[in-house]
Amino acid sequence: MKASLRPWALGFAAVLVLAGCASEPTRIVPGTTAAETLQRLGPPTGRYPLTGGGERLQYSRMPAGFEVTDIDVDAAGKVVSVTQVLSEARFGHDIKVDQWRQNDVLAFYGRPFEISRVSSFDGVIWTWRYKAVNERRMLYIYIDPTGVVRRYHTGDDLELVRIRD
């Protein structure tokens, strides 16, 4: 009986692996149509208009995950870029302090893992989880009461430390 279950279990495992690959946003390649992308990945967690008539399809793994993938589609309906945006190497280039507004942050990073306040800043702090190599990290973006990004910083994800204690 055990021998007959093994091929079935292997087949099931293979289907799960293939299904996982099919739903991985970073496996979409430029030139793929928006319709094909939506068919493979399902509905995005966010959709945002782009300059020039295109659209951003955003696939976020928040609140439990560590990745946000932005898939930009041009006005003709073709994928032009696929970017995993929660990358420490990109933050300094991507985040536009004193220029971005709350909607810009949403269109780039999607909904945050958490929104909080501290007494030393008049506004809210949006937080995303990400990984740097294999370390769990946090991105904090400070948004003032008028909706403008005033600063950002990164830090360790201390939740894992609290769970261990």
Side-chain angles (χ1 to χ4, degrees):
M1 188 73 159
K2 285 183 182 178
S4 65
L5 288 177
R6 232 178 236 156
W8 177 85
L10 289 173
F12 184 70
V15 167
L16 286 177
V17 167
L18 289 174
C21 290
S23 65
E24 175 55 43
T26 58
R27 296 199 189 271
I28 299 294
V29 296
T32 305
T33 67
E36 289 173 286
T37 300
L38 292 167
Q39 183 179 6
R40 284 178 55 189
L41 301 178
T45 53
R47 292 179 96 139
Y48 303 95
L50 296 174
T51 309
E55 179 179 37
R56 172 165 291 153
L57 305 176
Q58 191 172 74
Y59 291 88
S60 174
R61 297 187 190 240
M62 293 294 132
F66 300 94
E67 298 167 349
V68 174
T69 304
D70 287 349
I71 300 175
D72 290 352
V73 177
D74 65 15
K78 298 280 188 182
V79 171
V80 293
S81 68
V82 178
T83 309
Q84 199 294 98
V85 294
L86 288 177
S87 167
E88 208 163 84
R90 298 182 53 94
F91 297 150
H93 173 73
D94 292 337
I95 299 170
K96 307 292 187 239
V97 174
D98 296 328
Q99 295 174 32
W100 267 8
R101 300 194 57 76
Q102 185 171 309
N103 287 339
D104 299 313
V105 177
L106 279 174
F108 206 83
Y109 294 115
R111 293 180 185 192
F113 155 72
E114 178 179 77
I115 298 174
S116 58
R117 292 183 172 274
V118 294
S119 61
S120 61
F121 178 73
D122 183 22
V124 294
I125 304 167
W126 288 14
T127 307
W128 289 262
R129 288 184 159 145
Y130 70 97
K131 284 193 177 177
V133 185
N134 286 323
E135 295 295 318
R136 293 169 51 139
R137 306 274 294 155
M138 305 290 265
L139 167 64
Y140 303 95
I141 296 181
Y142 292 69
I143 302 172
D144 75 12
T146 66
V148 176
V149 171
R150 293 302 177 190
R151 68 180 189 252
Y152 77 93
H153 72 87
T154 61
D156 293 328
D157 183 351
L158 300 177
E159 189 65 30
L160 186 61
V161 173
R162 281 184 233 138
I163 292 170
R164 287 184 196 162
D165 291 344

